[in-house]
Amino acid sequence: MTSPAQIAPARGKLGVLLVGLGAVATTTIAGVFAIRKGIALPIGSLTQMGTIRLGKRTEGRSPKIKDFVPLADLADIVFGGWDIFEEDSYAAARTAGVLETSQLDRIRGELEAIRPMPAVFDQRYVKRLQGPNVKRGKNKRDLAEQVIADIRAFKETHGCDRLVMVWTGSTEVYMKETAVHASLASFEKGLEQSDDAIPSSMVYAYAALREGIPFANAAPNLTADIPAMLELAARTGSPVAGNDMKTGQTLIKTIIAPGLKARLLGVRGWYSTNILGNRDGEVLDDPESFKTKEESKKSALDYIFQPHLYPELYKDLCHVVRINYYPPRGDNKEGWDNIDLIGWLGYPMQLKINFLCRDSILAAPIVLDSALFLDLAKRAGMSCIQEWLSFYFKAPMHAPEVYPEHDLFIQLMKLKNTLRHMQGEELITHLGREYYD
């Protein structure tokens, strides 16, 4: 970690490169433009609306986070990205159907100026999608070099001082770590040989990290969470974060489950089902892509409840997750949860939650915050896994010797304490004995 004097100022333009200009990406881009024009509020964004308490409660110091740490200003962000479809961001946002046309029309010119670069795409990894705007190359190493050329050209064309890349593309088929992921040398050899264990997302992550660019994975793909990528991130001083943005149902789980555990209420079963009809829903209709998402969504409860420590309460928990593709719903996802509880003396209770949410509306501020915080981390000299950003992800990256922290409130405390530490402020423990001793 660094001292405040070592954090480089956020001068110049910040290029935010998004891989996949679909619903989440275009909602993020449109939102930033709308906020810049003063026609909307950045609701859901910790970097824009959140505050941070400094010192004792009696001191009354609670500045906004964006005034406390040197974050890039929204006015200095330049967006770009790749997609398998050729339409500009205005047309893509219209297709996604998340934001109202009347709202999009007020920022139409800005959105139309953002046209996607041809994407690295292989349908074997995302079986329900196909599009014409795709790169061709002799092998995956060639494709990675093309992405690097895109990155450099974008930076020069737009006069960017710094860059951040966020994977906002689709969920790829389920993959496990193999020998090709074990080291940078084996991975680069795999690129030359177009190894099947290297999906499109890894090509982007490799390109970003080789250029020393912070990288965030907003999907549950394996992507940067392999030894080869972490070796490269350490070599180039690149911060990384992921995986899979914590939006609808999992957000609710990481709010509710810590409360149930705190009161030592038993949980016998937790049944979760979702219906959604956007591109993400179509992709997840493929069993292999759903497997990737399922693993991401199911892990949170295991780590929050810690059944090995509380076997009487959680050892036999039946946890079921379902996702159903239902086109009429579009981006307006609905999540149903049925939780079977056990209380005092073994008496049963039930908790039922029906969350009618907007997937991309919940995801957009996470994309923005991840980009701004990763840029801050880079300027602060922080590289590799940024566990303090676990607050935003369903399956947070973590050191191999520790378990991931999924409790939303512990994650938020960790995030804010990291910011305090970066600025030389006292960490908040919430002990508070000094008020009573």
Side-chain angles (χ1 to χ4, degrees), residues 370-383:
S370 296
L372 293 180
F373 278 139
L374 283 172
D375 174 58
L376 174 69
K378 175 72 175 181
R379 287 183 283 111
M382 301 161 67
S383 62

Side-chain angles (χ1 to χ4, degrees), residues 277-328:
N278 58 11
R279 188 192 297 183
D280 192 34
E282 184 178 5
V283 168
L284 294 175
D285 204 34
D286 171 59
E288 291 185 70
S289 289
F290 171 71
K291 174 67 174 175
T292 307
K293 177 68 78 170
E294 182 183 33
E295 290 297 313
S296 172
K297 288 172 73 70
K298 291 186 73 172
S299 62
L301 291 187
D302 293 335
Y303 288 108
I304 290 173
F305 285 138
Q306 297 178 301
H308 62 291
L309 298 179
Y310 301 93
E312 305 92 339
L313 300 176
Y314 310 116
K315 181 181 178 183
D316 297 320
L317 169 65
C318 176
H319 186 197
V320 177
V321 175
R322 297 285 183 266
I323 298 177
N324 301 288
Y325 178 49
Y326 181 58

Side-chain angles (χ1 to χ4, degrees), residues 105-124:
D105 284 344
R106 300 178 71 178
I107 47 176
R108 180 170 183 167
E110 295 94 325
L111 291 171
E112 286 181 334
I114 302 172
R115 302 195 65 89
M117 295 174 275
V120 175
F121 180 76
D122 187 329
Q123 198 176 18
R124 290 179 300 166

Side-chain angles (χ1 to χ4, degrees), residues 219-239:
N221 313 327
L222 193 57
T223 310
D225 207 358
I226 56 173
M229 294 298 182
L230 299 181
E231 181 185 341
L232 181 57
R235 181 178 299 183
T236 60
S238 307

Side-chain angles (χ1 to χ4, degrees), residues 115-134:
R115 302 195 65 89
M117 295 174 275
V120 175
F121 180 76
D122 187 329
Q123 198 176 18
R124 290 179 300 166
Y125 305 107
V126 185
K127 297 182 178 180
R128 296 299 172 92
L129 293 183
Q130 58 182 357
N133 198 36
V134 176

Side-chain angles (χ1 to χ4, degrees), residues 143-258:
L143 293 174
E145 296 297 338
Q146 290 182 46
V147 173
I148 289 171
D150 288 344
I151 291 169
R152 293 175 178 175
F154 180 89
K155 185 176 183 181
E156 182 177 356
T157 300
H158 295 278
C160 295
D161 181 63
R162 310 171 314 283
L163 298 172
V164 173
M165 185 185 293
V166 183
W167 173 274
T168 51
S170 297
T171 300
E172 295 172 326
V173 298
Y174 183 67
M175 301 188 77
K176 290 186 176 182
E177 198 175 301
T178 70
V180 76
H181 305 136
S183 70
L184 183 57
S186 61
F187 186 85
E188 291 182 331
K189 183 178 179 181
L191 286 173
E192 294 280 356
Q193 298 173 345
S194 292
D195 194 296
D196 288 342
I198 300 178
S200 305
S201 64
M202 287 187 185
V203 174
Y204 282 102
Y206 171 81
L209 299 178
R210 220 185 79 183
E211 290 295 284
I213 297 171
F215 181 86
N217 179 23
N221 313 327
L222 193 57
T223 310
D225 207 358
I226 56 173
M229 294 298 182
L230 299 181
E231 181 185 341
L232 181 57
R235 181 178 299 183
T236 60
S238 307
V240 294
N243 301 294
D244 200 7
M245 291 180 298
K246 182 160 36 183
T247 52
Q249 195 168 62
T250 307
L251 172 64
I252 297 301
K253 284 183 177 178
T254 59
I255 293 171
I256 299 297

